[in-house]
Amino acid sequence: MALDVVLVRLLIIAAVASVLPARGRADGAAGLAIGFYNEKCPGAEDLVLEEMRDIVHEDRTLGPALLRLLFHDCFVRGCDASIMLKSRSKKGERDAKPMSYSLRGFDEVERIKAKLEEACPLTVSCADIIIMAARDAVYLNNGPRFPVETGRRDGKVSNCVDAENDLAPPNANIVDLKTYFSVKNLSWKDLVVLSGSHTIGSSQCAAFAGDRLYNHSGKGMQDPTLNKTYAPDLRMMCEAGNETDTTPVSMDPGSPHEFDLSYYRDVYSNKGLFVSDQALLDDKLTHDYVARMAAAPSPDEFFDDYAAAMINMGRMEVLTGHNGEIRKICGAYVD
Ligand code: HEM
Ligand SMILES: *[C@@H]1O[C@H](CO)[C@@H](O)[C@H](O)[C@H]1NC(C)=O
Ligand SMILES: *[C@@H]1O[C@H](CO)[C@@H](O)[C@H](O)[C@H]1NC(C)=O
Ligand SMILES: *[C@@H]1O[C@H](CO)[C@@H](O)[C@H](O)[C@H]1NC(C)=O
Ligand SMILES: *[C@@H]1O[C@H](CO)[C@@H](O)[C@H](O)[C@H]1NC(C)=O
């Protein structure tokens, strides 16, 4: 091939390559971009990390809490910080059924927001703060650090019925879990990878003791799929018949503050805490992923998958451009 032909081809490839990502971003991610605040509020991401370091240093349980807050925000009306909104009539997302009462991290989002308002007034959305804080929570629990897209704007609607419909309960089976994810355009892989978030943090007894320890399927028995050498440990922590037992139980008791592969080792040895964790063994594809990660010598593949799945979840029904608003107080009252 003549040199000039090669050069022309290289030029065409370079031109196409420089156009494609930009177009992919504008269409595929609806106005989101990595580094959206680079010019609008330089240092915004560093400021979030700095504040998260202090928050996690003061109370290490807040890292997992903020990661879970992202999940609840995104699945209900999209990643728009509607989870933060307050309702005097108790009809907001925050007021949804008992499992949402244990959500924490609201004050910390507000605290980060206050810092960003000092640096760049009315510029960084609450929705972006939630995803940046969640990303940093993973990192500060010795997990990977990965880029997240920003450019979301804040929604103004919060409705407890949406939260009740769109969040999978901890006793969901694999068919239901895949449905909860697929209606939000997330795949079986996003499901099994994002469930790996349960490698950090804790649950209240009330969320699982009935289903797994004392009254499985309403039959007054222990879940037969729960590891029989592990069950007594859980029974010691959670008393029978108390549906409001708030005692915290680590979801990955071997390393509750390490973002690592041990969630998959737990699930693979039938020591996942929720029915929804154990259920990942009931589908060929999710089972195989769990098995592979349980045996993996390095977490690199999981970390790469996790970064990709967070991008996917972070794109869920976002408001961008002129939609929504940039709120000054994330937890404003809607009524
Ligand atoms: C697949 C469906 C899921 C179900 C059924 C589920 C259910 C739960 C439940 C019941 C708790 C304990 C709540 C409590 O009693 O305090 C919990 C905790 C948690 N979840 Fe999930 N979850 C799911 C997916 C996710 C996803 C996608 C993420 C993040 C991307 C996530 C992150 C967390 C974290 C970090 C905690 C610990 C919170 C803390 O320590 O304060 N979960 N989850
Ligand atoms: C899922 O994707 C379809 C097609 O791109 C889109 O119309 C729909 O709004 C998306 N749904 C959610 C919940 O993101
Ligand atoms: C177990 O669940 C069933 C069905 O939900 C209920 O009728 C029964 O009272 C429960 N038993 C206990 C001991 O909580
Ligand atoms: C249930 O557990 C909580 C602690 O999480 C305790 O305060 C409460 O008294 C218990 N209720 C009953 C009926 O034992
Ligand atoms: C139960 O857990 C133990 C480790 O705690 C493991 O050796 C055993 O294989 C597990 N049993 C089942 C049936 O998964």
Side-chain angles (χ1 to χ4, degrees):
M1 219 186 296
L3 187 61
D4 54 344
V5 173
V6 172
L7 278 179
V8 167
R9 287 198 173 186
L10 282 176
L11 276 174
I12 291 172
I13 289 168
V16 167
S18 69
V19 165
L20 274 186
R23 208 184 266 159
R25 225 168 256 166
D27 298 340
L32 299 181
I34 289 168
F36 181 85
Y37 295 111
N38 284 356
E39 273 126 54
K40 294 180 183 67
C41 183
E45 302 212 16
D46 296 338
L47 220 149
V48 175
L49 176 59
E50 207 178 289
E51 204 59 24
M52 279 298 291
R53 260 189 220 288
D54 290 348
I55 288 167
V56 169
H57 183 75
E58 285 161 30
D59 177 355
R60 69 196 311 195
T61 70
L62 285 166
L66 281 156
L67 178 55
R68 181 172 176 232
L69 198 61
L70 173 70
F71 166 52
H72 283 236
D73 184 32
C74 291
F75 267 74
V76 187
R77 302 192 80 88
C79 316
D80 69 343
S82 55
I83 189 72
M84 295 293 299
L85 292 167
K86 292 177 185 161
S87 157
R88 291 192 176 85
S89 63
K90 299 285 167 219
K91 291 195 176 120
E93 290 176 26
R94 286 170 73 155
D95 308 303
K97 69 179 177 190
M99 285 326 136
S100 300
Y101 289 137
S102 60
L103 272 186
R104 296 163 61 229
F106 299 102
D107 294 347
E108 288 64 34
V109 172
E110 216 68 79
R111 171 173 162 182
I112 298 168
K113 176 64 172 175
K115 287 273 171 193
L116 284 163
E117 283 301 302
E118 272 173 38
C120 323
L122 290 176
T123 306
V124 182
S125 67
C126 300
D128 284 339
I129 292 174
I130 293 175
I131 195 165
M132 289 189 275
R135 177 268 304 271
D136 294 344
V138 169
Y139 175 61
L140 294 168
N141 280 269
N142 298 318
R145 184 155 169 82
F146 47 85
V148 291
E149 293 175 325
T150 42
R152 294 168 195 77
R153 291 167 62 89
D154 301 325
K156 304 176 197 179
V157 180
S158 176
N159 185 338
C160 69
V161 177
D162 292 333
E164 275 149 22
N165 289 337
D166 292 352
L167 288 166
N171 64 359
N173 64 32
I174 188 66
V175 174
D176 293 342
L177 287 168
K178 285 200 295 182
T179 305
Y180 276 102
F181 273 61
S182 68
V183 296
K184 300 288 182 178
N185 289 343
L186 294 187
S187 67
W188 67 267
K189 185 151 185 190
D190 295 315
L191 167 66
V192 69
V193 169
L194 291 172
S195 292
S197 305
H198 290 172
T199 182
I200 56 172
S202 63
S203 167
Q204 303 185 347
C205 287
F208 67 88
D211 292 321
R212 303 230 72 194
L213 302 176
Y214 301 115
N215 199 6
H216 179 72
S217 300
K219 291 179 190 146
M221 59 188 237
Q222 185 170 299
D223 186 337
T225 66
L226 179 63
N227 187 309
K228 286 178 185 52
T229 63
Y230 181 45
D233 297 351
L234 294 176
R235 282 172 168 261
M236 288 246 282
M237 288 182 272
C238 304
E239 56 185 12
N242 185 345
E243 285 169 14
T244 58
D245 188 348
T246 56
T247 308
V249 175
S250 290
M251 294 189 290
D252 172 19
S255 57
H257 306 289
E258 296 287 318
F259 194 94
D260 58 15
L261 288 173
S262 47
Y263 169 80
Y264 295 107
R265 293 187 206 115
D266 293 340
V267 171
Y268 198 58
S269 51
N270 303 296
K271 295 191 291 186
L273 194 54
F274 305 130
V275 170
S276 67
D277 297 316
Q278 178 85 33
L280 297 173
L281 297 177
D282 297 340
D283 167 273
K284 177 156 185 356
L285 293 170
T286 56
H287 172 282
D288 288 357
Y289 190 88
V290 171
R292 209 151 46 75
M293 289 308 125
S298 141
D300 292 351
E301 183 184 346
F302 169 51
F303 287 176
D304 287 348
D305 290 341
Y306 196 81
M310 287 286 265
I311 294 272
N312 293 342
M313 184 166 73
R315 288 179 177 183
M316 216 180 256
E317 298 161 76
V318 289
L319 300 169
T320 54
H322 297 291
N323 297 322
E325 63 183 2
I326 305 289
R327 244 199 309 285
K328 189 168 161 61
I329 304 288
C330 299
Y333 281 95
V334 286
D335 64 39

